[in-house]
Each structure stands twice: as structure tokens, then as C-alpha cells.
Amino acid sequence: MDIVGNGFLARHLTPLAERHPDTVVLAAGVSWASHTSDADFAREAALLREVAAECRATARRLLFFSTASTGMYGTADGPGHEDLTITPCTPYGAHKIAMERHLRASGTDFLALRLGHLVGPGQPPHQLLPTLLRQLHLGSVAVHKDATRDLIDVDDVIAVVDHLLTRGASRQIVNVASGVAVPVDRIIDHLEERTGLHATRSYVDVGGHHTISIAKLRTLVPEVAAMGFGPDYYRGVLDDFLAAATPATP
């Protein structure tokens, strides 16, 4: 496996590098769901075109990371699944679906994974969990009213990737998430309970919620049945995040 990129997801994929020599992973694109920079979107689009052309020329499969965020599924009627006709509701969602459409039309052997909200060690500071923890320490948390997040441990994502590539999944789009939409208020409640921190919450009415369907994922990767996905899965994900974020005591 050749990995393009050196960020959070790319680093966690490194242990798989020797296992899938027929695959190129593009893990260097825009990963911020609130991103609106046309220049950054254009850079990722150019990189995707370049890498897809190389994969096509060398008969290798391209693994691309898309999104299952509100920007992709926020207007869906019911759980967001891969066969829906999508109307993205953010620039980020529109950008990612444009990348998927390019892959479909490119003739490149590809696998596109629409990711839930990844959680794990080494997350960029702008992402949800580092931001919430930082705000808890400051004593004030800004919450998008009615917002939810589907949290999934990055290690479970890597295991899913390994299973999909081993089984030769290609020319498909697959949601990779836990399938549970957790209210952000509940996430904050758990963080406060575990850390002993308490913060004043201010609400901004720009939220919205959606549920991600993982029916296709369960069919393609039956092993997810043993990953504990369900209403309380997020608690273990948060506990692992906090354990990694807490410096060891000498």
C-alpha cells in the first residue's frame, strides 16, 4: 500500500502498508467538515486526478476517503445510505461528492469510504473532541443546537479498511461509521463525567442531525458485529480518547 499524505488518518494506516501492495491510499485531502476554501478544494481535486490517473496506468486500486457528515446526508429523509440521490448542504459535502463522481467516471479501480466522525490519538486540534476538551478546560463550551455526531474509533476504521481491501472491494462507495447519531450534549455530558470538569454551554442554532446507515458495511464486513456498535459504543470511544489525551503519571 502506498499512502499519499502524512496526517492523522495516514499515520494510523501505516501498519497496513505491507498488506495491500495493489492499493494507493489518498489520505491528504480536506478533512475539516466546516471547510469552505475553494483553493483547498481545488488542490485536493487536482491531487485526486493525478493519483487516479497513476492508479489507472499501473492497474492499482485507489482508496479515497469521503464523508458521511451532515454536509453529505443532512437533507436525507431517513438514514443516509450510499444509494441515495444526494443534495449536499455544505461546500465540504458538495466537494466530496464531486470527488466521488470524478472517480466513478475516471475508469480507475477505486473504493470510496464515507467516514463518520473519527476519534483517536493524534487528532488535529480543530476537530470536535480536541475542541470540546479544550473548551471544557476553559469553562465554556459552544454547542450547535440539536447537533449529533456518529463517533467511530480510528482503530475500528483501520480494521474495516483492512477487511474491505482483503476482500477485494472495488468500484463501491461504503459508509464507515457506527450507525448511531449521538447528541453532542450527551458527548459533553460524558466528557464532564469522566474528567470532573464542568463548563457553561452556549447554544448556536446551526445544528441539525442525521443517522448514517451501515447496512451495506455490515454486509461487506460481518466482523463489525464484534466491534460493539450500538447506543453506548461512543462511551468507550470517548474513554479511549481521554486515556490517550491524559499524560502518564511519572
Side-chain angles (χ1 to χ4, degrees):
M1 171 189 290
D2 289 334
I3 302 172
V4 180
N6 57 9
F8 170 61
L9 189 51
R11 291 193 299 272
H12 282 275
L13 284 163
T14 301
L16 300 185
E18 301 301 320
R19 289 179 52 79
H20 305 286
D22 62 337
T23 300
V24 177
V25 181
L26 183 54
V30 178
S31 62
W32 194 346
S34 60
H35 213 96
T36 59
S37 168
D38 288 341
D40 288 346
F41 293 153
R43 276 192 289 271
E44 182 178 8
L47 181 60
L48 177 67
R49 289 192 296 269
E50 177 185 339
V51 175
E54 290 176 358
C55 287
R56 189 166 60 251
T58 57
R60 290 189 293 174
R61 173 178 42 187
L62 173 57
L63 175 59
F64 174 71
F65 295 108
S66 186
T67 183
S69 68
T70 300
M72 182 68 75
Y73 287 131
T75 61
D77 184 13
H81 62 82
E82 299 88 342
D83 295 330
L84 284 175
T85 299
I86 298 293
T87 304
C89 54
T90 66
Y92 178 73
H95 165 70
K96 288 297 187 182
I97 200 166
M99 298 299 93
E100 292 178 9
R101 288 169 177 162
H102 174 79
L103 280 175
R104 286 180 183 273
S106 69
T108 301
D109 187 8
F110 75 92
L111 178 63
L113 304 184
R114 290 179 178 169
L115 300 179
H117 195 92
L118 272 62
V119 180
Q123 281 189 267
H126 66 260
Q127 292 187 345
L128 178 69
L129 269 298
T131 297
L132 288 180
L133 191 58
R134 189 165 59 249
Q135 290 181 348
L136 279 174
H137 279 284
L138 293 172
S140 178
V141 180
V143 185
H144 288 183
K145 186 179 179 182
D146 299 325
T148 62
R149 293 292 184 272
D150 185 316
L151 304 183
I152 182 168
D153 192 295
V154 67
D155 288 341
D156 288 336
V157 172
I158 301 309
V160 165
V161 167
D162 194 20
H163 288 306
L164 286 169
L165 295 180
T166 297
R167 293 191 171 104
S170 68
R171 300 185 185 277
Q172 297 197 62
I173 295 172
V174 184
N175 290 336
V176 179
S178 75
V180 177
V182 184
V184 173
D185 264 322
R186 199 174 299 167
I187 294 171
I188 297 170
D189 289 344
H190 189 85
L191 292 175
E192 287 186 335
E193 177 186 338
R194 289 293 193 258
T195 63
L197 299 169
H198 296 282
T200 301
R201 303 182 196 185
S202 58
Y203 291 87
V204 184
D205 195 11
V206 294
H209 63 276
H210 68 288
T211 301
I212 302 167
S213 170
I214 59 169
K216 184 175 184 178
L217 175 64
R218 289 186 182 280
T219 298
L220 293 173
V221 185
E223 290 85 353
V224 301
M227 292 182 180
F229 295 165
D232 292 324
Y233 168 79
Y234 79 97
R235 297 180 184 276
V237 173
L238 293 176
D239 288 344
D240 289 346
F241 168 78
L242 288 172
T246 303
T249 303

